[in-house]
């Protein structure tokens, strides 16, 4: 069976992609290959960061691998926080501080359109393949719900009237930016597997 390293130790992301692949590929996390390095995320775009992480692993382990990077892009903030979503409120911040900063920046703003965007970079036999997933929605005026993580409590996906933090995890994991990008990666891997 084919093996790939996913440049992450995020259990949630691993479970999600393993579930979609349904056992057709073996996906190894960084911990499973004994990689505990702080992989730099120095790119100015989601694509650059995903590629940097995937190339880092490819250089070190010489095997096929993929990495992802996600950002929340808010229209009235010209796409911010974007690639800086994880550290929007500063280097030592957390999700709560990031949300506080976002709500403050959008105070009184009627255009609340936003999207989550994920880019997955796959390095296969030294060649780069990119897969993108976008979910459109809007930013609530305040936090709602306790589920999920990150900006979930303020993001209302298009077609719903609840935030990601209020929706059941199964719903989020079916429609999310990451699910869309992951499904594109999986479709590509499956199509190669059949040849
Ligand atoms: P990462 O690239 O998956 O590490 O995500 C970067 C940042 O985007 C995280 O620190 C979160 O704040 C945010 N983020 C990523 N995915 C989600 C999500 O599904 N819901 C809410 N926030 C997210």
């Amino acid at each position: 069976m084919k093996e790939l390293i996913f440049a992450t130790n995020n259990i949630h992301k691993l479970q999600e992609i393993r579930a979609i692949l349904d056992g057709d590929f073996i996906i190894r996390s960084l911990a499973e290959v004994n990689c505990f390095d702080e992989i730099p995320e120095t790119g100015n775009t989601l694509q650059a960061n995903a590629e940097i992480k995937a190339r880092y692993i490819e250089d070190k382990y010489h095997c096929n691998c993929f990495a992802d990077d996600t950002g929340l892009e808010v229209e009235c903030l010209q796409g911010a926080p974007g690639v800086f979503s994880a550290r929007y409120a500063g280097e030592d911040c957390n999700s709560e501080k990031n949300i506080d900063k976002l709500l403050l920046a959008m105070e009184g703003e009627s255009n609340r359109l936003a999207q989550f965007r994920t880019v997955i970079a796959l390095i296969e036999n030294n060649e780069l393949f990119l897969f993108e997933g976008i979910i459109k929605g809007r930013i609530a005026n305040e936090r709602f719900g306790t589920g999920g993580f990150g900006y979930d409590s303020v993001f209302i996906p298009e077609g719903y009237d609840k935030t990601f933090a209020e929706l059941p995890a199964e719903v989020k994991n079916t429609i999310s930016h990451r699910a869309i990008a992951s499904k594109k990666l999986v479709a590509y891997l499956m199509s190669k597997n059949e040849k």
Side-chain angles (χ1 to χ4, degrees):
M1 199 180 300
K2 290 188 186 162
E3 252 187 65
L4 284 166
I5 299 178
F6 184 5
T8 189
N9 277 323
N10 182 317
I11 296 294
H12 167 83
K13 291 183 185 178
L14 282 161
Q15 282 171 345
E16 197 173 275
I17 196 113
R18 283 176 178 148
I20 306 175
L21 276 166
D22 203 20
D24 285 308
F25 286 76
I26 296 173
I27 304 294
R28 303 260 181 240
S29 67
L30 291 178
E32 283 171 303
V33 294
N34 283 317
C35 179
F36 298 100
D37 303 0
E38 277 278 322
I39 305 179
E41 292 194 34
T42 49
N44 285 327
T45 62
L46 299 176
Q47 176 179 329
N49 273 342
E51 188 179 343
I52 287 168
K53 287 186 270 186
R55 292 247 181 243
Y56 182 96
I57 297 304
E58 210 269 337
D59 281 351
K60 192 161 176 178
Y61 298 96
H62 308 290
C63 64
N64 292 338
C65 62
F66 62 93
D68 73 329
D69 203 30
T70 295
L72 174 67
E73 299 171 331
V74 179
E75 195 169 280
C76 70
L77 301 177
Q78 291 76 46
V83 70
F84 304 109
S85 294
R87 47 189 193 282
Y88 185 43
E91 282 303 326
D92 289 322
C93 64
N94 55 31
S95 294
E96 291 314 303
K97 288 184 184 163
N98 285 339
I99 292 175
D100 285 344
K101 180 168 176 181
L102 179 69
L103 292 178
L104 194 62
M106 294 181 72
E107 214 167 54
E109 184 58 65
S110 57
N111 175 7
R112 308 202 64 91
L113 294 177
Q115 64 181 27
F116 272 117
R117 191 160 66 89
T118 290
V119 176
I120 294 179
L122 166 72
I123 310 274
E124 189 184 42
N125 305 325
N126 220 14
E127 211 179 327
L128 172 70
F129 298 88
L130 296 167
F131 306 92
E132 185 182 68
I134 292 176
I135 177 147
K136 292 185 180 293
R138 63 194 159 89
I139 302 299
N141 290 315
E142 55 182 292
R143 292 167 171 85
F144 294 100
T146 53
F149 68 99
Y151 296 90
D152 275 350
S153 63
V154 290
F155 184 81
I156 303 170
E158 204 172 78
Y160 294 80
D161 58 5
K162 288 186 162 50
T163 66
F164 264 163
E166 293 176 292
L167 289 168
E170 309 83 71
V171 174
K172 180 190 168 190
N173 292 340
T174 308
I175 63 172
S176 82
H177 42 300
R178 207 168 15 258
I180 294 167
S182 301
K183 282 176 196 158
K184 288 182 185 171
L185 166 71
V186 167
Y188 169 78
L189 293 173
M190 295 296 206
S191 72
K192 289 295 285 277
N193 214 20
E194 283 159 13
K195 286 179 188 157

